[in-house]
Amino acid sequence: MDTIKNILVTEIEQINRREGRDGKPRFNSEFARTHRWLCFAMFAGYFAVIAVMYPVPYMGLYSFLGFTAFVLFMFAMLLIEIKPVYRFEDIGVLDLRVCYNGEWYFTRALSPHAIQALLNEPTVSPVLKTRMQEIIANKGEIDFYDVYDLAYAKRLSTPSAPQAVLS
């Protein structure tokens, strides 16, 4: 594993640990607290549908129970939260994983410790260090994707690029 990838993977692992990102579903009542009116509207809609279903002769007890189970299931799904695990392999990949993970690598800035580790690393090229410092000067921070793009984009597009310049 090259040094840049090693530093980025270490940083990603620290973020995952710090934020409890393990990809497991957890109960989170924050949705019900922050979106009270939506929850109220959902139950009001439930009672409105029950009011319409009750007098209809072909809607029996099983229809009522099935509908109630569906509403309770949907409400329970709104109270489940999943914090996806960030991985180095997801950086720059635009496929269905983006629906689950989001494009976190565009919005997550590297920590000052990781930036310093990259700038102090002797195996990282001076060209890459200069470009990183320019990005930090312009944006005030540098994202995971910025470093990934600088270090790996040319390597992917030109297979015969010299290793010393890009890494």
Side-chain angles (χ1 to χ4, degrees), residues 84-100:
V85 178
Y86 294 155
R87 291 187 308 244
F88 178 81
E89 294 76 26
D90 294 336
I91 299 177
V93 176
L94 296 176
D95 61 8
L96 288 178
R97 286 178 278 183
V98 173
C99 297
Y100 177 65

Side-chain angles (χ1 to χ4, degrees), residues 6-25:
N6 193 16
I7 292 170
L8 292 179
V9 166
T10 303
E11 180 73 9
I12 291 168
E13 287 171 355
Q14 288 174 356
I15 291 172
N16 286 335
R17 236 179 290 112
R18 184 174 55 244
E19 295 180 0
R21 296 188 165 278
D22 56 4
K24 296 178 183 173

Side-chain angles (χ1 to χ4, degrees), residues 102-131:
E103 292 178 325
W104 61 270
Y105 42 83
F106 281 120
T107 58
R108 297 300 300 244
L110 272 110
S111 69
H113 174 72
I115 294 170
Q116 205 55 44
L118 285 168
L119 294 176
N120 291 340
E121 182 59 43
T123 59
V124 175
S125 76
V127 174
L128 187 110
K129 291 178 183 179
T130 304
R131 286 292 298 137

Side-chain angles (χ1 to χ4, degrees), residues 46 49-50 53-70:
Y46 166 75
V49 171
I50 291 300
M53 281 176 63
Y54 182 72
V56 177
Y58 54 84
M59 293 291 191
L61 180 64
Y62 293 120
S63 298
F64 170 73
L65 291 176
F67 180 68
T68 301
F70 174 74

Side-chain angles (χ1 to χ4, degrees), residues 21-39:
R21 296 188 165 278
D22 56 4
K24 296 178 183 173
R26 287 193 169 67
F27 177 77
N28 184 1
S29 63
E30 183 180 343
F31 180 84
R33 285 193 307 268
T34 57
H35 302 292
R36 285 188 190 122
W37 293 109
L38 179 62
C39 294

